[in-house]
Short mmCIF file of all heavy atoms in Angstrom, two decimals:
data_model
loop_
_atom_site.label_atom_id
_atom_site.label_comp_id
_atom_site.label_asym_id
_atom_site.label_seq_id
_atom_site.Cartn_x
_atom_site.Cartn_y
_atom_site.Cartn_z
N VAL A 1041 0.91 -11.12 11.00
CA VAL A 1041 0.42 -12.20 10.13
C VAL A 1041 0.70 -11.78 8.69
O VAL A 1041 0.11 -10.83 8.18
CB VAL A 1041 -1.09 -12.43 10.36
CG1 VAL A 1041 -1.59 -13.53 9.43
CG2 VAL A 1041 -1.37 -12.78 11.82
N GLY A 1042 1.66 -12.49 8.06
CA GLY A 1042 2.08 -12.16 6.70
C GLY A 1042 3.48 -11.61 6.70
O GLY A 1042 3.76 -10.55 7.24
N SER A 1043 4.40 -12.36 6.08
CA SER A 1043 5.82 -11.98 6.07
C SER A 1043 6.28 -11.59 4.65
O SER A 1043 7.41 -11.82 4.27
CB SER A 1043 6.66 -13.13 6.63
OG SER A 1043 7.97 -12.71 6.86
N GLY A 1044 5.38 -10.98 3.90
CA GLY A 1044 5.75 -10.40 2.61
C GLY A 1044 6.37 -9.03 2.82
O GLY A 1044 6.65 -8.65 3.95
N PRO A 1045 6.63 -8.29 1.75
CA PRO A 1045 7.30 -6.99 1.89
C PRO A 1045 6.62 -6.04 2.89
O PRO A 1045 7.30 -5.38 3.67
CB PRO A 1045 7.24 -6.41 0.46
CG PRO A 1045 7.23 -7.63 -0.42
CD PRO A 1045 6.45 -8.67 0.34
N ILE A 1046 5.28 -6.02 2.90
CA ILE A 1046 4.59 -5.10 3.82
C ILE A 1046 4.73 -5.57 5.28
O ILE A 1046 5.01 -4.77 6.17
CB ILE A 1046 3.10 -4.97 3.43
CG1 ILE A 1046 2.97 -4.24 2.10
CG2 ILE A 1046 2.29 -4.31 4.53
CD1 ILE A 1046 3.15 -2.74 2.17
N GLY A 1047 4.54 -6.87 5.50
CA GLY A 1047 4.72 -7.41 6.86
C GLY A 1047 6.14 -7.17 7.34
O GLY A 1047 6.37 -6.82 8.50
N LEU A 1048 7.12 -7.34 6.43
CA LEU A 1048 8.52 -7.11 6.79
C LEU A 1048 8.78 -5.63 7.06
O LEU A 1048 9.59 -5.29 7.93
CB LEU A 1048 9.45 -7.63 5.69
CG LEU A 1048 9.45 -9.16 5.51
CD1 LEU A 1048 10.19 -9.55 4.23
CD2 LEU A 1048 10.08 -9.87 6.72
N ALA A 1049 8.09 -4.75 6.33
CA ALA A 1049 8.24 -3.31 6.60
C ALA A 1049 7.71 -2.98 8.00
O ALA A 1049 8.29 -2.17 8.72
CB ALA A 1049 7.50 -2.49 5.53
N SER A 1050 6.63 -3.65 8.40
CA SER A 1050 6.12 -3.47 9.77
C SER A 1050 7.12 -4.03 10.78
O SER A 1050 7.36 -3.42 11.83
CB SER A 1050 4.78 -4.19 9.96
OG SER A 1050 3.78 -3.58 9.20
N LEU A 1051 7.69 -5.19 10.46
CA LEU A 1051 8.69 -5.80 11.35
C LEU A 1051 9.87 -4.85 11.57
O LEU A 1051 10.32 -4.66 12.71
CB LEU A 1051 9.17 -7.12 10.74
CG LEU A 1051 10.42 -7.76 11.34
CD1 LEU A 1051 10.19 -8.16 12.80
CD2 LEU A 1051 10.83 -9.00 10.53
N LEU A 1052 10.38 -4.26 10.50
CA LEU A 1052 11.55 -3.36 10.62
C LEU A 1052 11.19 -2.12 11.44
O LEU A 1052 11.96 -1.70 12.30
CB LEU A 1052 12.03 -2.94 9.23
CG LEU A 1052 12.71 -4.02 8.39
CD1 LEU A 1052 13.00 -3.49 6.98
CD2 LEU A 1052 14.01 -4.50 9.05
N THR A 1053 10.02 -1.53 11.18
CA THR A 1053 9.69 -0.26 11.83
C THR A 1053 9.11 -0.46 13.23
O THR A 1053 9.18 0.46 14.05
CB THR A 1053 8.73 0.58 10.96
OG1 THR A 1053 7.58 -0.21 10.62
CG2 THR A 1053 9.41 1.03 9.67
N ALA A 1054 8.59 -1.65 13.54
CA ALA A 1054 8.12 -1.94 14.91
C ALA A 1054 9.30 -1.88 15.88
O ALA A 1054 9.14 -1.56 17.06
CB ALA A 1054 7.46 -3.31 14.97
N GLN A 1055 10.51 -2.16 15.36
CA GLN A 1055 11.68 -2.20 16.23
C GLN A 1055 12.10 -0.82 16.73
O GLN A 1055 12.89 -0.71 17.67
CB GLN A 1055 12.83 -2.92 15.51
CG GLN A 1055 12.48 -4.41 15.32
CD GLN A 1055 13.45 -5.13 14.39
OE1 GLN A 1055 14.64 -5.23 14.67
NE2 GLN A 1055 12.93 -5.64 13.28
N PHE A 1056 11.55 0.26 16.13
CA PHE A 1056 11.78 1.60 16.70
C PHE A 1056 11.35 1.65 18.17
O PHE A 1056 11.87 2.44 18.95
CB PHE A 1056 10.93 2.66 15.97
CG PHE A 1056 11.29 2.92 14.53
CD1 PHE A 1056 10.33 3.45 13.68
CD2 PHE A 1056 12.56 2.67 14.04
CE1 PHE A 1056 10.64 3.73 12.35
CE2 PHE A 1056 12.87 2.94 12.71
CZ PHE A 1056 11.92 3.46 11.87
N TYR A 1057 10.34 0.82 18.52
CA TYR A 1057 9.71 0.90 19.85
C TYR A 1057 10.17 -0.19 20.81
O TYR A 1057 9.61 -0.31 21.90
CB TYR A 1057 8.19 0.86 19.70
CG TYR A 1057 7.67 2.05 18.92
CD1 TYR A 1057 7.43 1.96 17.55
CD2 TYR A 1057 7.46 3.28 19.55
CE1 TYR A 1057 6.99 3.05 16.83
CE2 TYR A 1057 7.02 4.38 18.83
CZ TYR A 1057 6.79 4.26 17.47
OH TYR A 1057 6.36 5.35 16.76
#
Side-chain angles (χ1 to χ4, degrees):
V1041 179
S1043 191
I1046 292 283
L1048 293 169
S1050 293
L1051 167 63
L1052 289 174
T1053 54
Q1055 293 170 62
F1056 293 157
Y1057 297 96

